[in-house]
Amino acid sequence: MKGIVTVMRTPRALLAATATTAALAVVVAVPTPAVSAQVPTGGAYFVQSAVTGLNAADNAGAVEQHNPKGNEDHQQWNLRTSGSAYLLESTDTAGSCLGRSGDQARTVVCTSADAAWEITPAGTDQYTLKAPGTDRHLTVGAKPSGSNYPAQLAIGSAGSLASWYLTPVTPSVNPMPSPDQRTLDQVTFLTAHNAYANGVDGGFAPPFVNLVPNQTRGINQQLTDGVRGFMMDIHQTSDGAILCHNSCTLVSKPVALWVDIQRMVDFLKQHPDQVVTVFLEDYVDPGVLRSELARVSGLSDVLYRPDRTGVRQSGWPRMADLIAANHRLLIFTDHSRSSDESAGLTRDSFGVMYQREWTVENYWSMGSGLGSSDWSCYSRWYGADTNIPLTYTESAFRPLFVMNHFRDAAIASTATTDNTKLADRAQRFCRPAARKKPNFLAVDRYDLGNPTSAVDTLNTYTYP
């Protein structure tokens, strides 16, 4: 009927559905961030140089690379998206982001255009951070001749110095495989620092110095107690390779290296399911060391040679395979290959592996024997002439990680306190610093503070 307009009421449910559809249309119309699925999800990370292994840290507005130090020293950053870019906001200072000013990395307000980064995968677990729409990258500064890499981080060109790890503060871990499947690099071992300096087996230092032993139980008891890593200092005397601290001068009745290695070989014969590792702080000629080890009865029966079993090509073997093959004693030296080559005899020719080729190790001291400790976890081999970061890895090979956790002097009360905190430092400071779980936890006075509990904790999971 003309002149009459019929108004149809839309049901409320239909109105709601129509509104929802319109809203969805609006949401879809907004461009989504161009975020790569390969970039880690949001969360707290360390921004860690792939070259030095050091972390980007906020130092009063300057962004510098510092020794990894867990949740201290302003080194943790919250990663989140912002439009088509990413922000890295300080976990300590809300609204302050890792950014740039001119040619230097600086902290800036997170709303600044200089806080935005394009993050792009650049190899296995590595990324580049680039100012959007430019070729300017977050990078470590060039290394001056005779010096370390500079602390101040720069904004510069692409290249290896502009590669970064985004290491999670709280990583995902996996359950430890069954005993017949776990590999050597998945296992953690209790390790005695200066195991020979115990005052039980013999002298180890001059008068007065010998009043502060690093351990108080002999090698045989250490083996019985579950110690499986042994750090030993050897010095050259007319008697061969002798175990002494700093020097054998004025040391009463020191022990020869072969004597303690013999104790370990005898233990392994009696316990065919065990594996032992020795770390030599090595001040002897290669020929002297070869002659010393030749005195050990049965050494060749148990000596493990990773250089002859394809480890660098295929990774570390399963513990079960080492045991089945009777490859159960691994000996490392901190001596350099180059000096041995000059001498015409390399130590690995008689089964002693060069530690820098097979392991990474953090700097050994947490400070003096009394007072506060420094939990920084950085490479022992980082300096003007050497750079082996804790993060070092190869395509098919991951070095074993030796974690030192002791002071300049082994004061009993301090060692007790430090050893109770071993698991905490290992997991919050050193594990992210190396991007791997420690394989050897080296302590003074392993009989105090229950460091075995830390070993047990780390042996419940694998990382990465």
Side-chain angles (χ1 to χ4, degrees):
M1 184 182 297
K2 291 181 180 181
I4 298 176
V5 178
T6 304
V7 178
M8 301 289 293
R9 294 185 180 272
T10 305
R12 290 186 179 181
L14 183 57
L15 280 172
T18 304
T20 301
T21 302
L24 285 172
V26 172
V27 170
V28 171
V30 176
T32 56
V35 176
S36 169
Q38 294 176 285
V39 175
T41 57
Y45 292 87
F46 298 98
V47 180
Q48 191 171 18
S49 168
V51 172
T52 67
L54 306 187
N55 289 341
D58 175 12
N59 183 13
V63 178
E64 301 175 343
Q65 58 166 352
H66 287 184
N67 295 331
K69 205 170 184 181
N71 62 339
E72 302 175 12
D73 195 40
H74 312 296
Q75 298 183 6
Q76 297 180 0
W77 308 89
N78 278 320
L79 175 68
R80 57 185 172 88
T81 58
S82 177
S84 60
Y86 291 89
L87 299 178
L88 287 157
E89 183 176 13
S90 169
T91 61
D92 296 317
T93 307
S96 177
C97 279
L98 193 161
R100 54 202 172 271
S101 176
D103 293 333
Q104 292 190 335
R106 304 281 301 180
T107 52
V108 298
V109 294
C110 293
T111 54
S112 168
D114 288 326
W117 297 98
E118 290 181 10
I119 300 181
T120 306
T124 304
D125 293 331
Q126 295 181 21
Y127 303 89
T128 60
L129 281 69
K130 184 168 72 75
T134 75
D135 290 324
R136 302 173 69 238
H137 294 73
L138 178 68
T139 182
V140 173
K143 183 177 180 293
S145 177
S147 301
N148 287 345
Y149 290 96
Q152 175 65 55
L153 295 178
I155 307 300
S157 59
S160 61
L161 292 176
S163 291
W164 301 89
Y165 295 113
L166 296 176
T167 301
V169 171
T170 306
S172 299
V173 298
N174 298 307
M176 176 67 83
S178 60
D180 62 328
Q181 294 299 317
R182 62 190 59 169
T183 57
L184 178 63
D185 58 323
Q186 292 176 326
V187 181
T188 299
F189 301 93
L190 179 62
T191 300
H193 170 237
N194 286 353
Y196 67 94
N198 54 60
V200 175
D201 295 329
F204 62 90
F208 303 110
V209 178
N210 62 3
L211 296 177
V212 188
N214 297 94
Q215 311 297 337
T216 57
R217 299 176 181 178
I219 295 298
N220 284 335
Q221 187 61 50
Q222 292 179 35
L223 286 160
T224 299
D225 292 344
V227 175
R228 293 295 178 265
F230 298 84
M231 292 182 167
M232 298 183 153
D233 300 358
I234 50 173
H235 294 265
Q236 186 167 319
T237 76
S238 57
D239 295 321
I242 308 301
L243 295 161
C244 301
H245 190 58
N246 293 330
S247 166
C248 290
T249 302
L250 301 179
V251 178
S252 175
K253 299 180 180 178
V255 178
L257 174 65
W258 79 267
V259 173
D260 275 353
I261 299 296
Q262 187 69 65
R263 290 181 170 119
M264 297 173 198
V265 170
D266 292 345
F267 173 85
L268 290 172
K269 288 181 178 179
Q270 297 164 10
H271 301 83
D273 61 342
Q274 297 300 303
V275 175
V276 166
T277 304
V278 175
F279 300 91
L280 298 177
E281 187 173 317
D282 190 345
Y283 300 99
V284 307
D285 293 335
V288 171
L289 181 57
R290 181 176 60 179
S291 297
E292 189 77 16
L293 294 176
R295 301 180 67 181
V296 180
S297 175
L299 175 60
S300 61
D301 296 335
V302 295
L303 189 63
Y304 174 39
R305 298 287 303 268
D307 58 330
R308 293 183 175 179
T309 54
V311 169
R312 299 200 92 87
Q313 294 74 37
S314 304
W316 294 99
R318 295 182 302 177
M319 294 290 292
D321 293 336
L322 288 174
I323 291 167
N326 207 29
H327 294 161
R328 297 186 294 118
L329 178 60
L330 183 55
I331 304 177
F332 291 112
T333 175
D334 70 348
H335 213 277
S336 72
R337 174 184 290 276
S338 59
S339 63
D340 283 351
E341 288 175 339
S342 298
L345 177 64
T346 60
R347 289 163 214 252
D348 58 357
S349 67
F350 51 88
V352 176
M353 301 294 103
Y354 292 99
Q355 191 179 344
R356 277 172 262 199
E357 298 177 4
W358 299 97
T359 76
V360 293
E361 181 177 346
N362 67 308
Y363 179 68
W364 57 270
S365 176
M366 294 194 298
S368 64
L370 296 171
S372 61
S373 59
D374 181 359
W375 278 18
S376 300
C377 207
Y378 59 98
S379 178
R380 171 186 178 183
W381 298 307
Y382 177 69
D385 301 319
T386 306
N387 178 28
I388 306 175
L390 295 182
T391 54
Y392 179 76
T393 189
E394 297 175 13
S395 59
F397 166 72
R398 183 170 60 180
L400 302 175
F401 176 20
V402 182
M403 178 186 155
N404 295 311
H405 185 79
F406 47 83
R407 310 282 191 108
D408 297 349
I411 306 301
S413 59
T414 304
T416 300
T417 300
D418 288 344
N419 289 349
T420 61
K421 299 176 180 179
L422 177 57
D424 187 28
R425 183 179 182 225
Q427 295 185 106
R428 290 198 302 116
F429 286 68
C430 291
R431 183 180 66 185
R435 295 176 53 83
K436 59 179 72 73
K437 188 179 73 171
N439 299 108
F440 300 92
L441 294 180
V443 298
D444 283 332
R445 295 301 304 273
Y446 76 87
D447 57 308
L448 302 175
N450 194 20
T452 300
S453 65
V455 175
D456 293 341
T457 296
L458 268 62
N459 278 331
T460 62
Y461 66 87
T462 63
Y463 169 76

